[in-house]
Amino acid sequence: MLKKSFVIISISAAFYAQAQNISVIKNSIDIYSNTPMTGSSKFNAMAGSNGALGGDANSLMTNPAGLGVAIAGDLSVTLALTNNKNTSSLAGSSIGYNVDKFNVGNVSGVATIQLSPKTAWKFINIGANFSTQSAEEYIESPRNTNVVIAKQLVDSNGNAVNGNMSYMGHAYNRYGSQSKFNLGVGANYNNSLYIGASVNMHYADIDQYDTALFGLDLDNSVNAFDKQYTPYSEKSNGFSASVGVIGKVTNQFRLGASLETPTWWNVDRIYTDHFTGDDGYIYYNTYGESRDFRSPMKATFSGAFVPNKNFALNVDYTLGLTKPKYRVQGAAERELNSFFNDNYKNLSEVKVGAEYRIQSFRIRGGYAYASSPFDAMTISSYNDAGVAGDNNYSNFILGDRNTIGVGVGYDFGNFYLDATYQNISSKYKNPFLKGDADAGTGYYSGDFDVNTPYSVVSQVKNNRDNFYLTFGWKF
């Protein structure tokens, strides 16, 4: 029988090493910097491209000036069925896992207030939009027994023994949801200039797990180990504001621009601190902390071509103006901010959407491309043969994202019904396993800890199939 290794970790060391948890870096971008963009079926079919078109409350997600374009009240509810599949590949093997979710993805409405014909101001409109989506994700990477980590242990007779820990598999597991509520106002000046502004409330609730399997050659056992400071839970609230403008260059061409401030987040976090007691057994304590995070500021520039009432084409370009940043409370936040300063690329996304009308029938389509948020990086990692060295990776942690949407709709007069299929795909390199023995940031079981200064990196293909059905009422 093996006794447990003896490691003591202090709270100061725990805070210092938190940034080594890759899931914290990923969630900072994936959750807190990319808020839900689930709109109506029309919005989703056009890949979210509506910055110079507007006309309904979904404009609040791109350009609040689009509220001013509306000439009639509108209320819609969108049901969303999503399939999120991650396929992780490593050393010639692959593991795929699906997460299916059904929910009310969007509720939005706009009320129009027509002004006196004696003024050039035609409408002042008030709109509200609520979007929500699941944050659940499971990434299981295959084993690679070529990756072996030496471990010094003590047997039941008190003798020092040298064991070898073989890597047998890994999983990032995240549960939760995220949502965004927009409340805004838009105005129409002389049917040629539209302005708008909104306040945006954000919410996220996630539970994150980071687990590895290791096999020990001394007794041929296989056990699960939790990454230091996991599992952790976060309940977060954020606030941002947006302003925008749309102008008609001619009756057929429109230009738009909008600016969204950073989202100022307050993140209440509960995490698990593993340590080895004086008796040699592994224990853990749960600690809480509150963090402040600021997501990047974003600007969107738009152009639309509307030659007649039957066809509309819109192009949006969104650019990140700042980098994500944590308020520094200790070494952990300094490490995170240093990582973002050195490796984060400002957001760059292009969206193109179009709609064609045949009497009461609508056909829509769209495409969007967002670049990877991180530069290519060189890290110390194992290759497939289990040899450690410096390796360079592009699309690291998160990758380029492609979105394709197609949809149809029918206008019954006061009511309308829309349906959309949307596919979102990306590929990225998925690092895990790295830990610092001195800081105690490795993986812990009930028996002992495992540390290695090298990462294992799998290739992940993420594919999301989304189906939307919108019921709308115009008044």
Side-chain angles (χ1 to χ4, degrees):
M1 179 178 180
L2 299 173
K3 290 184 179 179
K4 295 81 186 171
S5 62
F6 184 75
V7 178
I8 297 178
I9 180 169
S10 67
I11 296 302
S12 60
F15 286 128
Y16 178 80
Q18 281 191 48
Q20 294 189 30
N21 191 332
I22 294 296
S23 65
V24 173
I25 295 173
K26 181 179 179 179
N27 291 340
S28 297
I29 306 305
D30 196 28
I31 299 294
Y32 299 120
S33 298
N34 289 327
T35 53
M37 292 293 283
T38 302
S40 66
S41 293
K42 175 183 177 180
F43 180 89
N44 300 328
M46 296 174 67
S49 178
N50 71 351
L53 289 176
D56 58 35
N58 281 176
S59 304
L60 292 168
M61 291 187 287
T62 307
N63 184 349
L67 282 179
V69 179
I71 58 174
D74 183 276
L75 179 65
S76 70
V77 177
T78 301
L79 304 179
L81 175 63
T82 63
N83 172 264
N84 186 357
K85 182 178 181 180
N86 282 310
T87 302
S88 181
S89 301
L90 178 67
S93 298
S94 298
I95 297 177
Y97 193 88
N98 290 277
V99 174
D100 296 312
K101 291 292 179 181
F102 176 78
N103 67 341
V104 177
N106 182 270
V107 179
S108 64
V110 58
T112 59
I113 303 172
Q114 189 167 6
L115 303 179
S116 169
K118 296 181 180 181
T119 176
W121 291 98
K122 304 299 182 181
F123 286 92
I124 292 181
N125 303 329
I126 299 172
N129 181 83
F130 177 77
S131 297
T132 186
Q133 65 188 34
S134 171
E136 184 170 344
E137 183 177 66
Y138 184 77
I139 307 169
E140 182 177 350
S141 297
R143 70 175 65 185
N144 182 3
T145 55
N146 291 328
V147 175
V148 178
I149 303 167
K151 180 65 181 178
Q152 293 183 345
L153 298 166
V154 179
D155 65 18
S156 57
N157 296 319
N159 299 316
V161 293
N162 294 320
N164 290 303
M165 309 295 300
S166 298
Y167 161 68
M168 304 294 288
H170 177 271
Y172 284 119
N173 192 6
R174 187 178 69 199
Y175 297 93
S177 62
Q178 55 183 137
S179 58
K180 183 178 183 180
F181 175 71
N182 316 89
L183 181 63
V185 60
N188 174 340
Y189 181 80
N190 205 31
N191 294 320
S192 60
L193 179 68
Y194 310 89
I195 58 174
S198 70
V199 292
N200 317 303
M201 279 71 79
H202 308 250
Y203 178 75
D205 184 353
I206 62 172
D207 296 305
Q208 181 72 56
Y209 297 79
D210 181 339
T211 306
L213 292 177
F214 292 102
L216 177 61
D217 62 348
L218 297 177
D219 58 3
N220 294 319
S221 62
V222 177
N223 291 290
F225 291 71
D226 291 322
K227 182 78 166 77
Q228 179 66 295
Y229 314 121
T230 69
Y232 63 82
S233 299
E234 294 179 345
K235 294 183 182 296
S236 311
N237 293 279
F239 170 84
S240 68
S242 303
V243 294
V245 61
I246 298 173
K248 286 186 177 180
V249 180
T250 67
N251 287 332
Q252 291 78 35
F253 289 97
R254 305 177 189 177
L255 296 177
S258 64
L259 181 71
E260 183 175 359
T261 70
T263 300
W264 290 277
W265 287 94
N266 177 255
V267 181
D268 290 324
R269 189 168 187 263
I270 298 174
Y271 64 94
T272 306
D273 177 14
H274 303 267
F275 64 96
T276 307
D278 293 338
D279 57 4
Y281 285 88
I282 297 292
Y283 297 93
Y284 68 88
N285 287 321
T286 301
Y287 296 96
E289 62 181 355
S290 182
R291 280 178 162 173
D292 293 324
F293 175 74
R294 186 184 70 199
S295 74
M297 178 184 291
K298 303 173 185 176
T300 298
F301 305 95
S302 308
F305 175 57
V306 188
N308 52 58
K309 293 184 178 181
N310 295 324
F311 179 74
L313 173 69
N314 188 89
V315 179
D316 293 337
Y317 175 66
T318 300
L319 177 67
L321 303 179
T322 60
K323 295 188 177 185
K325 186 176 182 179
Y326 281 90
R327 181 173 66 87
V328 174
Q329 303 178 87
E333 289 81 20
R334 279 193 292 271
E335 281 190 343
L336 285 165
N337 291 341
S338 177
F339 178 87
F340 293 135
N341 286 334
D342 293 341
N343 301 292
Y344 180 81
K345 294 191 300 185
N346 288 351
L347 170 70
S348 179
E349 183 174 18
V350 177
K351 297 181 289 187
V352 180
E355 179 185 62
Y356 185 72
R357 299 181 179 183
I358 306 173
Q359 297 181 343
S360 296
F361 187 68
R362 282 88 169 98
I363 302 173
R364 305 177 181 111
Y367 172 76
Y369 170 79
S371 62
S372 170
F374 297 114
D375 291 318
M377 300 182 211
T378 298
I379 66 169
S380 298
S381 62
Y382 296 101
N383 62 20
D384 288 351
V387 178
D390 291 337
N391 296 288
N392 184 266
Y393 300 97
S394 58
N395 286 321
F396 193 65
I397 304 178
L398 289 167
D400 299 343
R401 185 178 70 247
N402 293 275
T403 301
I404 299 174
V406 292
V408 296
Y410 195 86
D411 188 347
F412 295 92
N414 289 337
F415 297 92
Y416 59 89
L417 181 66
D418 298 322
T420 288
Y421 166 74
Q422 185 187 71
N423 175 265
I424 304 173
S425 61
S426 65
K427 294 180 180 180
Y428 59 92
K429 307 301 190 304
N430 178 46
F432 52 89
L433 220 64
K434 180 181 178 180
D436 188 320
D438 293 331
T441 57
Y443 286 76
Y444 287 75
S445 72
D447 292 328
F448 48 82
D449 64 321
V450 177
N451 288 278
T452 175
Y454 304 102
S455 297
V456 172
V457 181
S458 63
Q459 168 78 39
V460 174
K461 180 180 180 180
N462 176 254
N463 189 78
R464 302 186 185 191
D465 292 312
N466 303 317
F467 301 89
Y468 302 102
L469 186 63
T470 297
F471 302 90
W473 174 45
K474 295 182 291 185
F475 56 91

